[in-house]
Amino acid sequence: MKTVDNVYENLRRINENINNAVSECGRNSDSVRLMAVTKTVAPEIINHAISSGVSLLGENRVQEFLSKQEIYNKSAEIHFIGHLQTNKVKYIIEPMTMIQSVDSLRLAEEINRLAIAHNKIMDVLCEVNIGGENSKSGISPDELNQFLEQLSIMNGIRVKGLMTIPPPSSGDIFLGRMEELFNRIKDNKIEGIEMNELSMGMTHDYQEAIKHGATIVRIGTGLFGARNYNI
């Protein structure tokens, strides 16, 4: 059962853990943002989290977001983090401030087209399949440079960094590989590409992800409790 009291206490504990992890690796306290992942969570619980200090939401499903967006407290920033079909981009191009799950040239082209039509530049992250898992979306690390160069010439999108969901087993190994990949691309300085954001780490590994350079950690279950798929 998701209650407002549970959310408040969970948020306090998560923020404490984030601050400890940041301090242990010598980073600035404001270098990591907590994203509240809202999949299956009722809007009133999400709004309580916002009133308690959450400023960034992560949406996984277009239809679920559309059913809840009018109820949301409008003070929070919203990113799309789930697998996104090209025919659904039109529904989120306006309300989202970032799309974190850009995993194909076709999707990037559609985001670019619609962003230009809406007279905006959409911030995006490129999703990397760091573990090479067939069950997950994302660009192969070997193909990432070429993909970024293709995106760099699009006028309607602005690449801000990378996102990944590493394999649950041996996660620390893949977090380290992702950190190396992120830093290597950052050092290469591809024209038109920014490498400011590294979105990785969830409920089970966000403290380790911070130690490997994550700037956004995506937490759902740890904040809101077990998912209720009836919502």
Side-chain angles (χ1 to χ4, degrees), residues 15-224:
N15 280 329
E16 182 177 313
N17 289 340
I18 289 174
N19 288 334
N20 288 340
V22 166
S23 177
E24 285 177 16
C25 55
R27 295 173 58 185
N28 295 328
S29 59
D30 60 353
S31 64
V32 178
R33 295 187 72 188
L34 165 63
M35 170 185 283
V37 178
T38 58
K39 185 177 180 181
T40 77
V41 182
E44 59 269 21
I45 301 296
I46 296 166
N47 285 340
H48 175 72
I50 295 170
S51 68
S52 299
V54 168
S55 61
L56 178 60
L57 306 180
E59 292 285 337
N60 289 82
R61 300 168 173 170
V62 172
Q63 286 304 122
E64 182 181 346
F65 167 68
L66 294 176
S67 72
K68 298 193 294 190
Q69 67 170 322
E70 293 305 319
I71 310 172
Y72 281 171
N73 181 324
K74 300 301 187 290
S75 66
E77 184 180 350
I78 306 176
H79 293 185
F80 193 81
I81 61 174
H83 181 66
L84 182 59
Q85 297 173 311
T86 55
N87 64 348
K88 298 289 182 66
V89 176
K90 60 189 175 185
Y91 299 114
I92 65 168
I93 197 69
E94 196 59 44
M96 295 294 163
T97 56
M98 180 181 283
I99 298 174
Q100 292 200 10
S101 48
V102 177
D103 60 359
S104 72
L105 182 59
R106 183 165 173 259
L107 176 59
E109 288 172 339
E110 182 65 359
I111 296 170
N112 181 63
R113 182 184 74 82
L114 288 170
I116 292 172
H118 283 77
N119 195 32
K120 71 179 293 186
I121 298 175
M122 176 60 77
D123 288 339
V124 303
L125 302 184
C126 295
E127 182 175 0
V128 178
N129 189 345
I130 194 63
E133 297 172 278
N134 293 332
S135 61
K136 290 180 181 174
S137 304
I139 302 296
S140 162
D142 294 337
E143 298 173 347
L144 185 57
N145 262 64
Q146 180 183 0
F147 184 60
L148 290 170
E149 288 172 359
Q150 291 171 317
L151 270 56
S152 70
I153 61 174
M154 296 183 184
N155 295 323
I157 65 176
R158 177 170 46 215
V159 178
K160 302 287 285 185
L162 307 177
M163 184 268 263
T164 195
I165 305 173
S169 59
S170 304
D172 197 41
I173 294 173
F174 291 102
L175 292 171
R177 290 180 185 175
M178 195 67 198
E179 180 183 23
E180 291 174 5
L181 180 65
F182 178 81
N183 288 333
R184 184 165 68 246
I185 292 173
K186 189 172 187 176
D187 291 342
N188 286 344
K189 294 185 169 66
I190 300 173
E191 187 174 354
I193 298 293
E194 298 179 22
M195 279 289 124
N196 299 326
E197 302 289 357
L198 178 55
S199 175
M200 67 178 184
M202 297 183 287
T203 295
H204 66 284
D205 64 355
Y206 68 94
Q207 295 176 79
E208 285 301 317
I210 290 170
K211 295 174 185 178
H212 286 287
T215 64
I216 299 172
V217 291
R218 311 182 303 269
I219 302 179
T221 302
L223 178 59
F224 296 115

